[in-house]
Amino acid sequence: MLEILFSDSAAGSLLVAQRGGQGIIGGAVSVIISHEDGSKPTKKEIRQAQREAKERMAKAWENTQPLGGSREDVLSFSLAFSVGDISRPGCDESRLKALEQLFSIYPDDGSESAARQLFDRAVRNLDTARRRLSAGEPARIWYSNRPDELCGMLWFMDQLRRMNLQNADIQLICQPDWEAREDGVVQKNGCGENAPEEWSRYLPLARPAGSGVIAGFSTMWQQLMHQNAPLRAVISGQVVSVGEDFYDPFLLSVLQKEPETFRQAMVIGKTLGQYPFGMGDSWLTLRMEKWVQAGLLIPLTQPAADDPLYHRTLRKAPGFAGTD
């Protein structure tokens, strides 16, 4: 069974889920504790919360249904299809340029190679998918309603149609937008936030993608290709072409509440937290850089050599984002 995903972090988590319930799953555990009176939690309370969280994780892991398969079955296409030129099918240089643009906010050392690695891996994975699906192997496609993953699914459906694989054995698994838990409602920003023990819970959501479904989704992607907007967003569950400034109002709503001098990383983090629409920190940083270049935001510090661009302090120019 091939496992098709559109996020490297999701692929890494699913690799662990292949052996669900077997062995010991490790890793650090983070907890958030808040008191109604605003007081800080004690070290004892933090240790207790971490211990209880680890116990819940261990129990969930023991009861996890293994997905099975091997590392070679997991194919990731982490290509950020919600951003940039999509006018040509397949994996071409325009997709590499989009990745390089997003990685440009990180230090020069490795930014280009990281984009190239994602791109080259996707090219290899697409060839692997073609060969193995042509041989009759089944595949599961995992995605969510976050822009990159939903666009990725539509793109892959179009690839199947172009490769004359409309009759391939395909199952689609769309992760729910929200889930009810004992402690409330949980929303995730895509499949990449799944813990290894959670993947098997979504298996009952699998739906077969017959030739009609593949053709329909392929047509949707071709319409988006024809529009070739600089950005694609998800509105009411539908991918739509939008302008590059689509997310600007959400950034501005956060900026208006910030003091004249502020840390850019805080603004990026608050925007992602308050508006979890699936846009990434790279795109928001690039939008703010436009304002820096226009003189609307003034850098007061520069990031360290090994830090991303948003690790700096900015000041609002007079009249920008509510500044008098």
Side-chain angles (χ1 to χ4, degrees):
M1 173 74 76
L2 291 176
E3 311 285 6
I4 309 295
L5 306 103
F6 306 101
S7 158
D8 271 11
S9 56
S13 177
L14 190 141
L15 280 169
V16 180
Q18 288 181 324
R19 61 177 179 85
Q22 303 171 18
I24 299 174
I25 184 171
V29 175
S30 298
V31 295
I32 298 176
I33 303 175
S34 61
H35 293 155
E36 290 185 1
D37 61 4
S39 61
K40 291 181 62 176
T42 65
K43 292 183 178 180
K44 181 178 179 180
E45 288 176 319
I46 294 174
R47 288 195 296 268
Q48 176 67 20
Q50 289 177 325
R51 183 163 51 250
E52 292 174 354
K54 287 181 179 180
E55 290 173 354
R56 289 194 299 270
M57 288 175 59
K59 184 176 181 180
W61 179 248
E62 291 172 0
N63 296 325
T64 298
Q65 174 186 345
L67 295 183
S70 65
R71 176 176 293 273
E72 290 72 26
D73 299 330
V74 180
L75 304 179
S76 176
F77 298 92
S78 189
L79 292 173
F81 278 110
S82 71
V83 175
D85 184 1
I86 58 167
S87 60
R88 293 179 289 276
C91 292
D92 70 355
E93 290 299 311
S94 63
R95 190 73 342 232
L96 176 59
K97 289 180 180 179
L99 291 174
E100 288 174 343
Q101 179 189 22
L102 293 173
F103 275 94
S104 68
I105 73 163
Y106 298 105
D108 289 339
D109 282 349
S111 64
E112 182 176 353
S113 62
R116 170 61 73 174
Q117 288 174 13
L118 288 178
F119 177 78
D120 289 346
R121 185 187 307 133
V123 171
R124 293 193 301 270
N125 286 348
L126 186 60
D127 183 63
T128 298
R130 178 190 58 77
R131 289 187 290 102
R132 294 179 63 174
L133 290 171
S134 297
E137 287 193 55
R140 283 188 290 242
I141 299 177
W142 303 82
Y143 69 102
S144 70
N145 280 325
R146 294 303 184 258
D148 281 344
E149 293 184 338
L150 188 50
C151 285
M153 184 275 288
L154 296 177
W155 168 82
F156 195 79
M157 294 292 100
D158 188 52
Q159 301 314 298
L160 292 177
R161 190 177 186 181
R162 293 176 187 275
M163 294 184 293
N164 198 28
L165 289 171
Q166 297 97 317
N167 295 315
D169 185 356
I170 303 292
Q171 294 181 357
L172 294 173
I173 300 181
C174 182
Q175 186 166 296
D177 291 334
W178 61 273
E179 297 177 69
R181 303 281 179 85
E182 292 181 358
D183 54 350
V185 173
V186 175
Q187 290 180 295
K188 295 180 183 176
N189 194 20
C191 296
E193 294 189 358
N194 286 343
E197 65 270 16
E198 295 179 310
W199 290 90
S200 62
R201 292 211 309 262
Y202 303 125
L203 290 174
L205 302 179
R207 301 172 64 182
S211 59
V213 171
I214 292 173
F217 284 147
S218 170
T219 298
M220 291 181 189
W221 184 248
Q222 290 179 28
Q223 291 172 346
L224 293 167
M225 290 175 62
H226 177 72
Q227 296 162 355
N228 197 28
L231 198 66
R232 283 151 291 283
V234 177
I235 301 176
S236 298
Q238 300 294 318
V239 180
V240 295
S241 298
V242 298
E244 64 180 3
D245 60 352
F246 180 79
Y247 295 118
D248 288 8
F250 307 108
L251 263 174
L252 289 170
S253 71
V254 173
L255 267 172
Q256 287 170 352
K257 300 173 185 176
E258 293 295 307
E260 180 181 352
T261 298
F262 61 92
R263 292 168 54 198
Q264 187 176 4
M266 292 293 292
V267 169
I268 298 292
K270 288 179 180 179
T271 305
L272 293 173
Q274 293 178 28
Y275 305 104
F277 301 147
M279 67 286 199
D281 58 354
S282 291
W283 183 258
L284 296 182
T285 303
L286 291 171
R287 293 305 302 162
M288 293 185 73
E289 184 62 17
K290 293 278 189 181
W291 299 335
V292 169
Q293 294 172 1
L296 299 174
L297 295 175
I298 303 167
L300 300 181
T301 65
Q302 294 299 323
D306 56 349
D307 283 342
L309 181 61
Y310 54 74
H311 280 198
R312 58 184 175 176
T313 299
L314 302 177
R315 186 179 72 228
K316 302 174 188 177
F320 181 71
T323 302
D324 295 330

